[in-house]
Short mmCIF file of all heavy atoms in Angstrom, two decimals:
data_model
loop_
_atom_site.label_atom_id
_atom_site.label_comp_id
_atom_site.label_asym_id
_atom_site.label_seq_id
_atom_site.Cartn_x
_atom_site.Cartn_y
_atom_site.Cartn_z
N MET A 1 82.78 91.33 125.89
CA MET A 1 82.98 92.09 124.66
C MET A 1 82.30 91.36 123.51
O MET A 1 82.50 90.17 123.32
CB MET A 1 84.49 92.24 124.38
CG MET A 1 84.78 93.03 123.13
SD MET A 1 86.54 93.23 122.78
CE MET A 1 87.05 94.22 124.14
N THR A 2 81.51 92.07 122.72
CA THR A 2 80.85 91.47 121.58
C THR A 2 81.78 91.40 120.38
O THR A 2 82.79 92.09 120.34
CB THR A 2 79.58 92.25 121.21
OG1 THR A 2 79.98 93.51 120.69
CG2 THR A 2 78.65 92.41 122.39
N ASP A 3 81.43 90.56 119.41
CA ASP A 3 82.21 90.53 118.17
C ASP A 3 82.27 91.88 117.51
O ASP A 3 83.28 92.25 116.95
CB ASP A 3 81.61 89.50 117.20
CG ASP A 3 81.91 88.07 117.60
OD1 ASP A 3 82.81 87.86 118.43
OD2 ASP A 3 81.24 87.14 117.11
N GLU A 4 81.14 92.63 117.57
CA GLU A 4 81.12 93.95 116.95
C GLU A 4 82.15 94.88 117.58
O GLU A 4 82.82 95.62 116.90
CB GLU A 4 79.71 94.54 117.06
CG GLU A 4 79.59 95.87 116.38
CD GLU A 4 78.17 96.41 116.48
OE1 GLU A 4 77.23 95.62 116.69
OE2 GLU A 4 78.01 97.62 116.32
N ASP A 5 82.24 94.85 118.92
CA ASP A 5 83.21 95.69 119.60
C ASP A 5 84.64 95.30 119.25
O ASP A 5 85.50 96.14 119.08
CB ASP A 5 83.04 95.57 121.11
CG ASP A 5 81.77 96.23 121.61
OD1 ASP A 5 81.28 97.15 120.92
OD2 ASP A 5 81.29 95.83 122.67
N GLN A 6 84.90 94.00 119.18
CA GLN A 6 86.24 93.52 118.94
C GLN A 6 86.69 93.66 117.51
O GLN A 6 87.87 93.85 117.23
CB GLN A 6 86.30 92.04 119.35
CG GLN A 6 87.69 91.48 119.40
CD GLN A 6 87.73 90.10 119.98
OE1 GLN A 6 86.70 89.51 120.28
NE2 GLN A 6 88.89 89.56 120.11
N TYR A 7 85.77 93.60 116.55
CA TYR A 7 86.13 93.54 115.13
C TYR A 7 85.54 94.67 114.31
O TYR A 7 85.11 94.46 113.19
CB TYR A 7 85.75 92.20 114.55
CG TYR A 7 86.42 91.05 115.25
CD1 TYR A 7 85.70 90.20 116.07
CD2 TYR A 7 87.77 90.82 115.07
CE1 TYR A 7 86.33 89.15 116.71
CE2 TYR A 7 88.41 89.78 115.71
CZ TYR A 7 87.68 88.95 116.55
OH TYR A 7 88.31 87.91 117.19
N HIS A 8 85.51 95.87 114.85
CA HIS A 8 84.97 96.99 114.07
C HIS A 8 85.84 97.22 112.84
O HIS A 8 87.00 96.76 112.79
CB HIS A 8 84.86 98.26 114.91
CG HIS A 8 86.18 98.86 115.30
ND1 HIS A 8 86.91 99.61 114.41
CD2 HIS A 8 86.89 98.80 116.43
CE1 HIS A 8 88.02 99.97 115.00
NE2 HIS A 8 88.04 99.51 116.24
N ARG A 9 85.33 97.86 111.84
CA ARG A 9 86.04 98.05 110.58
C ARG A 9 86.49 99.49 110.36
O ARG A 9 86.97 99.84 109.30
CB ARG A 9 85.13 97.61 109.40
CG ARG A 9 84.82 96.13 109.47
CD ARG A 9 83.99 95.67 108.28
NE ARG A 9 82.67 96.28 108.26
CZ ARG A 9 82.18 97.01 107.25
NH1 ARG A 9 82.88 97.20 106.17
NH2 ARG A 9 80.99 97.54 107.32
N VAL A 10 86.36 100.36 111.39
CA VAL A 10 86.80 101.74 111.27
C VAL A 10 88.32 101.79 111.40
O VAL A 10 88.90 101.21 112.31
CB VAL A 10 86.14 102.62 112.32
CG1 VAL A 10 86.68 104.03 112.28
CG2 VAL A 10 84.63 102.60 112.15
N VAL A 11 88.95 102.46 110.43
CA VAL A 11 90.41 102.56 110.40
C VAL A 11 90.80 104.03 110.59
O VAL A 11 90.20 104.92 109.96
CB VAL A 11 90.95 102.07 109.05
CG1 VAL A 11 92.45 102.20 108.97
CG2 VAL A 11 90.51 100.64 108.81
N CYS A 12 91.75 104.28 111.48
CA CYS A 12 92.23 105.62 111.75
C CYS A 12 93.50 105.90 110.95
O CYS A 12 94.38 105.04 110.85
CB CYS A 12 92.51 105.76 113.26
SG CYS A 12 93.01 107.41 113.73
N HIS A 13 93.57 107.08 110.38
CA HIS A 13 94.69 107.47 109.51
C HIS A 13 95.58 108.56 110.14
O HIS A 13 96.20 109.32 109.41
CB HIS A 13 94.15 107.94 108.17
CG HIS A 13 93.29 106.93 107.49
ND1 HIS A 13 93.78 105.78 106.95
CD2 HIS A 13 91.93 106.89 107.31
CE1 HIS A 13 92.77 105.06 106.46
NE2 HIS A 13 91.64 105.73 106.66
N LEU A 14 95.64 108.60 111.46
CA LEU A 14 96.45 109.61 112.11
C LEU A 14 97.94 109.51 111.74
O LEU A 14 98.58 110.53 111.59
CB LEU A 14 96.30 109.55 113.63
CG LEU A 14 95.09 110.28 114.22
CD1 LEU A 14 95.09 110.14 115.74
CD2 LEU A 14 95.08 111.72 113.81
N ASP A 15 98.47 108.29 111.62
CA ASP A 15 99.88 108.11 111.24
C ASP A 15 100.17 108.87 109.95
O ASP A 15 101.14 109.66 109.89
CB ASP A 15 100.23 106.65 111.03
CG ASP A 15 100.59 105.95 112.31
OD1 ASP A 15 100.90 106.61 113.30
OD2 ASP A 15 100.58 104.71 112.32
N ARG A 16 99.37 108.67 108.95
CA ARG A 16 99.60 109.32 107.65
C ARG A 16 99.46 110.82 107.75
O ARG A 16 100.28 111.58 107.25
CB ARG A 16 98.62 108.76 106.59
CG ARG A 16 98.74 109.42 105.24
CD ARG A 16 97.78 108.87 104.20
NE ARG A 16 96.41 108.80 104.65
CZ ARG A 16 95.57 109.83 104.66
NH1 ARG A 16 95.95 111.03 104.27
NH2 ARG A 16 94.30 109.68 105.03
N LEU A 17 98.40 111.26 108.43
CA LEU A 17 98.17 112.71 108.55
C LEU A 17 99.30 113.39 109.32
O LEU A 17 99.74 114.49 108.95
CB LEU A 17 96.83 112.95 109.24
CG LEU A 17 95.60 112.55 108.43
CD1 LEU A 17 94.35 112.54 109.33
CD2 LEU A 17 95.41 113.46 107.24
N LEU A 18 99.77 112.76 110.38
CA LEU A 18 100.88 113.34 111.14
C LEU A 18 102.16 113.38 110.30
O LEU A 18 102.87 114.39 110.32
CB LEU A 18 101.11 112.53 112.44
CG LEU A 18 100.01 112.66 113.50
CD1 LEU A 18 100.23 111.64 114.60
CD2 LEU A 18 99.97 114.06 114.05
N ALA A 19 102.43 112.32 109.58
CA ALA A 19 103.65 112.28 108.76
C ALA A 19 103.58 113.37 107.68
O ALA A 19 104.59 114.05 107.44
CB ALA A 19 103.78 110.89 108.10
N GLU A 20 102.41 113.52 107.07
CA GLU A 20 102.26 114.56 106.01
C GLU A 20 102.49 115.97 106.56
O GLU A 20 102.90 116.83 105.83
CB GLU A 20 100.87 114.47 105.40
CG GLU A 20 100.65 113.25 104.52
CD GLU A 20 99.18 113.10 104.08
OE1 GLU A 20 98.32 113.89 104.53
OE2 GLU A 20 98.93 112.16 103.32
N ARG A 21 102.22 116.14 107.85
CA ARG A 21 102.33 117.47 108.44
C ARG A 21 103.60 117.65 109.28
O ARG A 21 103.82 118.69 109.86
CB ARG A 21 101.07 117.76 109.30
CG ARG A 21 99.87 118.02 108.39
CD ARG A 21 98.59 117.67 109.07
NE ARG A 21 97.44 117.98 108.25
CZ ARG A 21 96.99 117.18 107.26
NH1 ARG A 21 97.60 116.07 106.98
NH2 ARG A 21 95.92 117.52 106.55
N GLY A 22 104.42 116.59 109.35
CA GLY A 22 105.65 116.67 110.12
C GLY A 22 105.40 116.91 111.60
O GLY A 22 106.12 117.64 112.26
N MET A 23 104.34 116.29 112.10
CA MET A 23 103.92 116.50 113.51
C MET A 23 104.01 115.18 114.27
O MET A 23 103.77 114.13 113.69
CB MET A 23 102.48 117.02 113.51
CG MET A 23 101.97 117.43 114.88
SD MET A 23 100.22 118.01 114.79
CE MET A 23 100.41 119.47 113.80
N THR A 24 104.36 115.25 115.55
CA THR A 24 104.38 114.06 116.38
C THR A 24 103.04 113.86 117.05
O THR A 24 102.23 114.78 117.16
CB THR A 24 105.47 114.14 117.44
OG1 THR A 24 105.11 115.19 118.37
CG2 THR A 24 106.85 114.39 116.84
N LEU A 25 102.83 112.65 117.52
CA LEU A 25 101.61 112.35 118.27
C LEU A 25 101.57 113.17 119.56
O LEU A 25 100.49 113.68 119.94
CB LEU A 25 101.53 110.84 118.60
CG LEU A 25 100.21 110.35 119.10
CD1 LEU A 25 99.13 110.46 118.04
CD2 LEU A 25 100.33 108.88 119.54
N ALA A 26 102.73 113.37 120.21
CA ALA A 26 102.79 114.17 121.42
C ALA A 26 102.40 115.61 121.14
O ALA A 26 101.70 116.25 121.94
CB ALA A 26 104.19 114.08 122.03
N GLU A 27 102.86 116.16 120.02
CA GLU A 27 102.50 117.52 119.65
C GLU A 27 101.01 117.66 119.40
O GLU A 27 100.36 118.58 119.88
CB GLU A 27 103.29 117.98 118.45
CG GLU A 27 103.01 119.42 118.04
CD GLU A 27 103.77 119.85 116.80
OE1 GLU A 27 104.65 119.09 116.30
OE2 GLU A 27 103.47 120.97 116.32
N LEU A 28 100.47 116.69 118.67
CA LEU A 28 99.02 116.71 118.41
C LEU A 28 98.25 116.62 119.71
O LEU A 28 97.27 117.36 119.91
CB LEU A 28 98.61 115.57 117.47
CG LEU A 28 97.13 115.46 117.13
CD1 LEU A 28 96.64 116.70 116.39
CD2 LEU A 28 96.86 114.21 116.31
N ALA A 29 98.66 115.73 120.59
CA ALA A 29 97.96 115.56 121.87
C ALA A 29 97.95 116.86 122.65
O ALA A 29 96.92 117.26 123.20
CB ALA A 29 98.62 114.45 122.70
N ALA A 30 99.13 117.54 122.71
CA ALA A 30 99.18 118.81 123.43
C ALA A 30 98.27 119.85 122.81
O ALA A 30 97.59 120.61 123.51
CB ALA A 30 100.64 119.29 123.47
N ARG A 31 98.25 119.91 121.51
CA ARG A 31 97.44 120.94 120.82
C ARG A 31 95.95 120.61 120.88
O ARG A 31 95.12 121.56 120.87
CB ARG A 31 97.91 121.08 119.36
CG ARG A 31 99.34 121.68 119.31
CD ARG A 31 99.86 121.82 117.93
NE ARG A 31 99.11 122.77 117.15
CZ ARG A 31 99.33 123.04 115.89
NH1 ARG A 31 100.34 122.43 115.24
NH2 ARG A 31 98.59 123.92 115.24
N VAL A 32 95.61 119.34 120.93
CA VAL A 32 94.18 118.95 121.00
C VAL A 32 93.68 118.99 122.44
O VAL A 32 92.50 119.24 122.69
CB VAL A 32 93.99 117.53 120.39
CG1 VAL A 32 92.63 116.97 120.68
CG2 VAL A 32 94.23 117.59 118.88
N GLY A 33 94.57 118.76 123.41
CA GLY A 33 94.17 118.76 124.80
C GLY A 33 93.77 117.41 125.30
O GLY A 33 92.90 117.30 126.21
N VAL A 34 94.32 116.34 124.76
CA VAL A 34 94.09 114.97 125.24
C VAL A 34 95.44 114.32 125.51
O VAL A 34 96.48 114.84 125.13
CB VAL A 34 93.27 114.13 124.22
CG1 VAL A 34 91.91 114.73 123.99
CG2 VAL A 34 94.02 113.97 122.92
N THR A 35 95.41 113.18 126.16
CA THR A 35 96.65 112.52 126.50
C THR A 35 97.21 111.78 125.27
O THR A 35 96.46 111.40 124.36
CB THR A 35 96.49 111.49 127.63
OG1 THR A 35 95.65 110.42 127.15
CG2 THR A 35 95.88 112.12 128.85
N VAL A 36 98.51 111.59 125.29
CA VAL A 36 99.16 110.81 124.21
C VAL A 36 98.59 109.40 124.21
O VAL A 36 98.38 108.81 123.14
CB VAL A 36 100.70 110.79 124.39
CG1 VAL A 36 101.36 109.87 123.38
CG2 VAL A 36 101.26 112.18 124.25
N VAL A 37 98.34 108.85 125.39
CA VAL A 37 97.80 107.48 125.50
C VAL A 37 96.46 107.41 124.78
O VAL A 37 96.22 106.46 124.02
CB VAL A 37 97.67 107.05 126.99
CG1 VAL A 37 96.92 105.74 127.08
CG2 VAL A 37 99.04 106.93 127.61
N ASN A 38 95.58 108.37 125.02
CA ASN A 38 94.28 108.33 124.36
C ASN A 38 94.40 108.45 122.84
O ASN A 38 93.69 107.75 122.10
CB ASN A 38 93.36 109.44 124.88
CG ASN A 38 92.80 109.11 126.24
OD1 ASN A 38 92.79 107.96 126.67
ND2 ASN A 38 92.31 110.11 126.93
N LEU A 39 95.28 109.33 122.36
CA LEU A 39 95.48 109.41 120.91
C LEU A 39 96.14 108.16 120.35
O LEU A 39 95.83 107.73 119.24
CB LEU A 39 96.34 110.63 120.57
CG LEU A 39 95.61 111.96 120.46
CD1 LEU A 39 96.56 113.03 119.93
CD2 LEU A 39 94.37 111.89 119.59
N SER A 40 96.99 107.53 121.12
CA SER A 40 97.62 106.30 120.68
C SER A 40 96.60 105.17 120.51
O SER A 40 96.63 104.43 119.54
CB SER A 40 98.71 105.87 121.67
OG SER A 40 99.33 104.69 121.25
N VAL A 41 95.66 105.09 121.45
CA VAL A 41 94.59 104.09 121.34
C VAL A 41 93.79 104.36 120.07
O VAL A 41 93.46 103.43 119.33
CB VAL A 41 93.67 104.16 122.60
CG1 VAL A 41 92.39 103.38 122.39
CG2 VAL A 41 94.43 103.62 123.80
N LEU A 42 93.49 105.61 119.78
CA LEU A 42 92.76 105.96 118.57
C LEU A 42 93.58 105.62 117.33
O LEU A 42 93.08 104.98 116.42
CB LEU A 42 92.44 107.46 118.61
CG LEU A 42 91.57 108.02 117.51
CD1 LEU A 42 90.18 107.39 117.56
CD2 LEU A 42 91.49 109.52 117.65
N LYS A 43 94.84 106.03 117.32
CA LYS A 43 95.72 105.83 116.17
C LYS A 43 95.91 104.35 115.83
O LYS A 43 96.02 103.97 114.65
CB LYS A 43 97.06 106.48 116.46
CG LYS A 43 98.11 106.31 115.39
CD LYS A 43 99.41 106.97 115.77
CE LYS A 43 100.20 106.21 116.77
NZ LYS A 43 100.90 105.05 116.28
N ASN A 44 95.92 103.52 116.86
CA ASN A 44 96.16 102.10 116.67
C ASN A 44 94.88 101.28 116.53
O ASN A 44 94.88 100.05 116.65
CB ASN A 44 97.03 101.55 117.81
CG ASN A 44 98.42 102.11 117.77
OD1 ASN A 44 99.08 102.10 116.74
ND2 ASN A 44 98.89 102.64 118.88
N ASP A 45 93.78 101.96 116.21
CA ASP A 45 92.49 101.33 115.93
C ASP A 45 91.96 100.49 117.08
O ASP A 45 91.31 99.48 116.89
CB ASP A 45 92.56 100.47 114.65
CG ASP A 45 92.88 101.28 113.42
OD1 ASP A 45 92.39 102.41 113.31
OD2 ASP A 45 93.65 100.81 112.56
N ARG A 46 92.27 100.91 118.32
CA ARG A 46 91.77 100.20 119.48
C ARG A 46 90.67 100.97 120.21
O ARG A 46 90.12 100.49 121.19
CB ARG A 46 92.91 99.89 120.45
CG ARG A 46 93.93 98.90 119.88
CD ARG A 46 94.93 98.44 120.92
NE ARG A 46 95.38 99.49 121.82
CZ ARG A 46 96.52 100.17 121.70
NH1 ARG A 46 97.34 99.91 120.69
NH2 ARG A 46 96.85 101.10 122.58
N ALA A 47 90.36 102.17 119.75
CA ALA A 47 89.32 102.99 120.39
C ALA A 47 87.93 102.40 120.11
O ALA A 47 87.69 101.89 119.01
CB ALA A 47 89.41 104.42 119.91
N ARG A 48 87.09 102.50 121.09
CA ARG A 48 85.70 102.05 120.92
C ARG A 48 84.78 103.23 120.63
O ARG A 48 83.65 103.04 120.15
CB ARG A 48 85.23 101.35 122.17
CG ARG A 48 85.98 100.04 122.39
CD ARG A 48 85.55 99.33 123.61
NE ARG A 48 84.13 99.05 123.57
CZ ARG A 48 83.40 98.64 124.59
NH1 ARG A 48 83.99 98.46 125.76
NH2 ARG A 48 82.13 98.41 124.47
N ALA A 49 85.26 104.43 120.88
CA ALA A 49 84.48 105.64 120.65
C ALA A 49 85.42 106.83 120.61
O ALA A 49 86.53 106.78 121.07
CB ALA A 49 83.45 105.83 121.76
N VAL A 50 84.91 107.93 120.05
CA VAL A 50 85.65 109.19 120.05
C VAL A 50 84.63 110.29 120.24
O VAL A 50 83.55 110.27 119.63
CB VAL A 50 86.51 109.38 118.79
CG1 VAL A 50 85.65 109.44 117.53
CG2 VAL A 50 87.36 110.61 118.87
N ARG A 51 84.93 111.23 121.08
CA ARG A 51 84.03 112.38 121.31
C ARG A 51 84.09 113.29 120.09
O ARG A 51 85.14 113.50 119.52
CB ARG A 51 84.44 113.18 122.53
CG ARG A 51 84.28 112.45 123.82
CD ARG A 51 84.79 113.33 124.97
NE ARG A 51 84.77 112.62 126.21
CZ ARG A 51 83.74 112.63 127.06
NH1 ARG A 51 82.65 113.28 126.77
NH2 ARG A 51 83.81 111.95 128.18
N PHE A 52 82.94 113.82 119.73
CA PHE A 52 82.90 114.78 118.61
C PHE A 52 83.79 115.98 118.90
O PHE A 52 84.42 116.53 118.00
CB PHE A 52 81.50 115.23 118.30
CG PHE A 52 80.67 114.22 117.55
CD1 PHE A 52 79.30 114.18 117.68
CD2 PHE A 52 81.26 113.32 116.68
CE1 PHE A 52 78.52 113.28 116.97
CE2 PHE A 52 80.50 112.40 115.97
CZ PHE A 52 79.14 112.38 116.13
N SER A 53 83.86 116.40 120.16
CA SER A 53 84.71 117.53 120.50
C SER A 53 86.19 117.21 120.25
O SER A 53 86.95 118.07 119.77
CB SER A 53 84.49 117.97 121.94
OG SER A 53 84.76 116.90 122.83
N THR A 54 86.59 115.99 120.54
CA THR A 54 87.97 115.57 120.27
C THR A 54 88.22 115.48 118.77
O THR A 54 89.25 115.97 118.29
CB THR A 54 88.26 114.21 120.94
OG1 THR A 54 88.04 114.33 122.36
CG2 THR A 54 89.69 113.75 120.66
N LEU A 55 87.29 114.89 118.04
CA LEU A 55 87.43 114.80 116.59
C LEU A 55 87.47 116.18 115.96
O LEU A 55 88.30 116.42 115.07
CB LEU A 55 86.28 113.98 116.01
CG LEU A 55 86.30 113.76 114.52
CD1 LEU A 55 87.59 113.07 114.05
CD2 LEU A 55 85.08 112.93 114.10
N THR A 56 86.65 117.07 116.43
CA THR A 56 86.67 118.45 115.92
C THR A 56 88.02 119.10 116.18
O THR A 56 88.60 119.74 115.29
CB THR A 56 85.53 119.27 116.55
OG1 THR A 56 84.29 118.66 116.25
CG2 THR A 56 85.54 120.71 116.06
N ALA A 57 88.56 118.92 117.37
CA ALA A 57 89.84 119.52 117.72
C ALA A 57 90.96 118.91 116.84
O ALA A 57 91.85 119.63 116.37
CB ALA A 57 90.14 119.33 119.19
N ILE A 58 90.92 117.61 116.63
CA ILE A 58 91.92 116.96 115.75
C ILE A 58 91.83 117.54 114.36
O ILE A 58 92.86 117.88 113.75
CB ILE A 58 91.70 115.43 115.72
CG1 ILE A 58 92.10 114.81 117.08
CG2 ILE A 58 92.49 114.76 114.60
CD1 ILE A 58 91.69 113.35 117.24
N CYS A 59 90.63 117.67 113.84
CA CYS A 59 90.45 118.21 112.49
C CYS A 59 90.90 119.66 112.42
O CYS A 59 91.53 120.07 111.42
CB CYS A 59 88.98 118.09 112.07
SG CYS A 59 88.50 116.38 111.72
N ASP A 60 90.65 120.44 113.45
CA ASP A 60 91.09 121.83 113.48
C ASP A 60 92.61 121.92 113.42
O ASP A 60 93.19 122.68 112.66
CB ASP A 60 90.57 122.57 114.71
CG ASP A 60 89.08 122.88 114.65
OD1 ASP A 60 88.49 122.77 113.53
OD2 ASP A 60 88.53 123.21 115.70
N VAL A 61 93.27 121.13 114.27
CA VAL A 61 94.75 121.16 114.35
C VAL A 61 95.37 120.65 113.05
O VAL A 61 96.32 121.24 112.54
CB VAL A 61 95.25 120.35 115.56
CG1 VAL A 61 96.74 120.18 115.51
CG2 VAL A 61 94.82 121.03 116.87
N LEU A 62 94.82 119.56 112.53
CA LEU A 62 95.39 118.96 111.30
C LEU A 62 94.84 119.59 110.02
O LEU A 62 95.29 119.23 108.94
CB LEU A 62 95.13 117.46 111.30
CG LEU A 62 95.81 116.65 112.41
CD1 LEU A 62 95.42 115.19 112.30
CD2 LEU A 62 97.31 116.83 112.36
N ARG A 63 93.88 120.51 110.17
CA ARG A 63 93.23 121.17 109.01
C ARG A 63 92.75 120.14 108.00
O ARG A 63 93.14 120.11 106.84
CB ARG A 63 94.20 122.12 108.36
CG ARG A 63 94.58 123.25 109.28
CD ARG A 63 95.53 124.23 108.67
NE ARG A 63 95.91 125.23 109.65
CZ ARG A 63 96.20 126.46 109.35
NH1 ARG A 63 96.12 126.88 108.13
NH2 ARG A 63 96.53 127.28 110.32
N CYS A 64 91.86 119.28 108.52
CA CYS A 64 91.30 118.22 107.68
C CYS A 64 89.85 117.99 108.05
O CYS A 64 89.29 118.71 108.89
CB CYS A 64 92.11 116.94 107.86
SG CYS A 64 91.99 116.20 109.51
N GLN A 65 89.24 117.02 107.43
CA GLN A 65 87.86 116.64 107.68
C GLN A 65 87.82 115.29 108.35
O GLN A 65 88.78 114.51 108.25
CB GLN A 65 87.08 116.59 106.36
CG GLN A 65 86.94 117.91 105.65
CD GLN A 65 86.05 118.85 106.43
OE1 GLN A 65 84.97 118.49 106.90
NE2 GLN A 65 86.53 120.07 106.61
N PRO A 66 86.71 114.94 109.06
CA PRO A 66 86.64 113.64 109.71
C PRO A 66 86.90 112.45 108.77
O PRO A 66 87.50 111.47 109.17
CB PRO A 66 85.19 113.59 110.26
CG PRO A 66 84.88 115.03 110.49
CD PRO A 66 85.56 115.78 109.38
N GLY A 67 86.49 112.59 107.53
CA GLY A 67 86.75 111.52 106.56
C GLY A 67 88.22 111.34 106.20
O GLY A 67 88.60 110.34 105.66
N ASP A 68 89.03 112.36 106.52
CA ASP A 68 90.47 112.22 106.34
C ASP A 68 91.10 111.43 107.49
O ASP A 68 92.12 110.78 107.33
CB ASP A 68 91.14 113.59 106.27
CG ASP A 68 90.64 114.43 105.11
OD1 ASP A 68 90.43 113.86 104.03
OD2 ASP A 68 90.47 115.65 105.30
N VAL A 69 90.45 111.51 108.65
CA VAL A 69 90.95 110.85 109.85
C VAL A 69 90.53 109.39 109.90
O VAL A 69 91.30 108.52 110.30
CB VAL A 69 90.48 111.59 111.13
CG1 VAL A 69 91.00 110.88 112.39
CG2 VAL A 69 90.91 113.03 111.10
N PHE A 70 89.29 109.11 109.46
CA PHE A 70 88.72 107.75 109.53
C PHE A 70 88.20 107.29 108.19
O PHE A 70 87.73 108.10 107.38
CB PHE A 70 87.57 107.71 110.52
CG PHE A 70 87.93 108.03 111.91
CD1 PHE A 70 87.55 109.21 112.50
CD2 PHE A 70 88.64 107.13 112.68
CE1 PHE A 70 87.86 109.53 113.80
CE2 PHE A 70 89.00 107.43 113.98
CZ PHE A 70 88.60 108.61 114.56
N SER A 71 88.26 105.99 107.97
CA SER A 71 87.55 105.36 106.88
C SER A 71 87.03 104.02 107.38
O SER A 71 87.37 103.58 108.49
CB SER A 71 88.48 105.15 105.67
OG SER A 71 89.50 104.24 105.99
N VAL A 72 86.15 103.41 106.64
CA VAL A 72 85.59 102.12 106.97
C VAL A 72 86.11 101.07 106.01
O VAL A 72 85.97 101.21 104.77
CB VAL A 72 84.04 102.11 106.93
CG1 VAL A 72 83.49 100.77 107.28
CG2 VAL A 72 83.50 103.17 107.91
N ARG A 73 86.79 100.09 106.57
CA ARG A 73 87.36 98.97 105.77
C ARG A 73 86.24 98.11 105.25
O ARG A 73 85.25 97.84 105.93
CB ARG A 73 88.31 98.20 106.70
CG ARG A 73 89.02 97.06 106.13
CD ARG A 73 90.00 96.41 107.11
NE ARG A 73 89.37 96.09 108.39
CZ ARG A 73 89.76 96.56 109.57
NH1 ARG A 73 90.78 97.35 109.66
NH2 ARG A 73 89.12 96.21 110.68
N ASN A 74 86.37 97.61 104.02
CA ASN A 74 85.40 96.70 103.46
C ASN A 74 85.37 95.38 104.23
O ASN A 74 86.42 94.97 104.75
CB ASN A 74 85.71 96.39 101.97
CG ASN A 74 85.41 97.58 101.08
OD1 ASN A 74 84.52 98.38 101.35
ND2 ASN A 74 86.19 97.72 100.05
N PRO A 75 84.19 94.76 104.33
CA PRO A 75 84.11 93.49 105.08
C PRO A 75 84.90 92.37 104.43
O PRO A 75 85.27 92.40 103.31
CB PRO A 75 82.62 93.17 105.10
CG PRO A 75 81.96 94.05 104.14
CD PRO A 75 82.90 95.15 103.77
#
């Protein structure tokens, strides 16, 4: 694993978005069509990649934009 893989600066905001919408991670997973484990990896900033189709489905369900789901932390 490279330093870049281990220390990326992309931050996922699923916790906040789910809380704002009164939705559980399990409900989001079911509606998006992915496993709770995969969404948990994403939510906890451990994902190395995300498919555009998954991101699109998350945005559709949460009625948001990709920039609402992710941000980049300053170095």
Side-chain angles (χ1 to χ4, degrees):
M1 180 180 295
T2 67
D3 284 344
E4 183 178 338
D5 290 335
Q6 190 172 3
Y7 301 107
H8 69 79
R9 296 183 296 123
V10 175
V11 179
C12 183
H13 304 289
L14 276 181
D15 275 342
R16 177 180 50 81
L17 292 167
L18 290 170
E20 289 172 356
R21 287 154 178 81
M23 186 181 295
T24 66
L25 193 64
E27 182 182 352
L28 179 63
R31 293 178 65 182
V32 168
V34 298
T35 66
V36 173
V37 172
N38 283 343
L39 276 187
S40 181
V41 167
L42 186 63
K43 178 179 76 76
N44 292 311
D45 298 322
R46 293 190 320 261
R48 294 179 58 191
V50 62
R51 293 178 186 269
F52 283 152
S53 58
T54 301
L55 181 56
T56 300
I58 289 169
C59 289
D60 287 347
V61 170
L62 296 178
R63 297 180 185 213
C64 66
Q65 294 293 312
D68 299 321
V69 179
F70 297 109
S71 64
V72 178
R73 181 177 51 239
N74 288 328

